[in-house]
Amino acid sequence: MQDSAANGHRVVDHIVGHLAAVGVGHIFGVDGANIEDLYDAAFLRDDITAVLAKHEFSAAAMADGYSRSGAGLGVLAATSGGGCLNTVPGLGESLASRVPVLALIGQAPTTLDGRGAFQDTSGVNGALDAEALFSAVSVYCRRVLTAADILTALPEAIAAAAGGGPAVLLLPKDVQQADLAHPGRSPFRVMRSPTTGSGLSPLIGALRNAAGPVLLIAGEQVARDDARAELERLRSTLKARVATVPDAVDVSASALGVCGVMGHPSVTAAAAQSAICLVVGTRMTVTARAGLDDVLSTVPTYSIGSAPPHLPCTHVHSDDLRGALSSLAAAMSDDGAKVPDPVPRTELQPPPHHGAGVRYRDAMGVLDTALPDGTDIVVDAGNIGAAAIHYLPARRHGRYLVALGMGGMGHSFGAGIGMTFHRGHRTVVIAGDGSFLMHGMEIHTAVQYRLPITFLLFDNHAHAMCVTREQLFYAHRASDRYSYNRFGHSRFGAGLAAMFPGLAALDVTDIAQLPAALRLALDCDGPSVVAIDCSPDEIPPFAAFLTTKEEPRVTARAH
């Protein structure tokens, strides 16, 4: 096989060369016997880098974060057996959030199909059926059985992923190693036709006839299609208000807040005052539309994007929001458009909490002051995620990523690494100790590649959102603090500093220590960690937790 590798004739050489030709710069994965030929092919090239993760879930999160950061296609590589099975939760997140990811999954050689081979997932003779499994978490899945099949399977998979979601190629080892005559240089490129003309007429007519303020609710497709400037132009033309869904915090600098279960009551107030609502590039899941269903049932609601929302509306399909929003803005006139009255951004006000540890709101206030423009932010699930989304705005010219499709704990560690490989500047990952204990050892990957990432680990000694649910919904547990979900105290900063020599890692137990710790962490050339002691008994700004006994209180905030 050495001659074939040197001449670039193997199937894996074709795959890697094709990916490089369409602009993929990185492949994220964990090496193993049935994917090692792909790593070998990447090693032979200067225009693509194979990144070694510590766990396949995190490798999937890296590919997901890489794609969401604006890189286009994220690519994941995993070996057979337990390795490929570990990718399923990450691919499920990409499917639910419609993130373009290509998964290259190694398989045992076809000569061993159905013969009791180690890690056989051929589906033959009682073996686990990988094609059936991965078809459930992808928009495209194909088992490649001959070398020639890759010539059609690879561009088909890339095209399917470009429409939003993961595509999976199952690659038996003998097929990866097979010789493939050079097919010629014909890189596949996705061409999108914008929605223009008569396709937009329902929206144009409705917006022109609106007899009052317009509310735009912007979502994740705005980021995926790089349509921020076009959204702003439409907002300015219509003199509209803008809100964002929780997993699209960074798509508008003009947003009056975030909608949904961890969002701002000001968005609901603005919706109630609107003559029309236009949903842009989001399906409006329950997380995003909590508190809005009743209001929007009385407001004419329209949508534009690659999939219709989960609420009654008139929907216009578009796979290219840049073109569609440009055409929509051009068709509108700003003459006579109503300028809506100001709506102050309001915050949910959880009940006060006293005792040891740093309060969520105080910590996010320090972060808001400390993080400069251009900083990318990646937020994990749970109480900490709710606090960050509610209290911490995106930085100007920075990305803000949160994975709410499946809400898998620990996703932020891999996603932050994937984002940093593409963006190349400081990323801040915000996660709780529960998420860290699941996938936090991926910090070692940041150390290995000297990536400029600051990991903020909020240590509340628990799966705190589960503790909150125990206290609110199971009264007998709240009375004596009995819980399945509390941990012992940890010192993550000191522990990680000892584990990874040269890593700047600090522990913070008081809010007064946090500004100096952040300055040190953000000034590091490579990765850094700040572990912040907080409380599992603090209620986060999460509307579902604030309406069990009383309506959520709100406070106004300058915007």
Side-chain angles (χ1 to χ4, degrees), residues 221-222 225 227 230 280-281 304-305 318-326:
Q221 191 186 346
V222 176
D225 291 357
E230 292 73 18
V280 183
I304 184 168
S318 175
D319 289 321
D320 177 16
L321 284 181
R322 292 184 69 181
L325 295 181
S326 289

Side-chain angles (χ1 to χ4, degrees), residues 27 114 136 152 201-202 277 319 374 392:
I27 298 171
T152 56
S201 57
C277 174
D319 289 321
L392 181 64

Side-chain angles (χ1 to χ4, degrees), residues 98-115:
R98 302 178 61 81
V99 180
V101 167
L102 173 65
L104 304 171
I105 303 297
Q107 304 278 277
T110 57
T111 54
L112 298 178
D113 286 355
R115 300 177 62 186

Side-chain angles (χ1 to χ4, degrees), residues 6 38 56 114 139 153 200 210 358 427 444 447 517 530:
L38 185 78
E56 290 85 1
V139 295
L200 292 174
V358 175
T427 299
H444 184 277
V447 173
V530 178

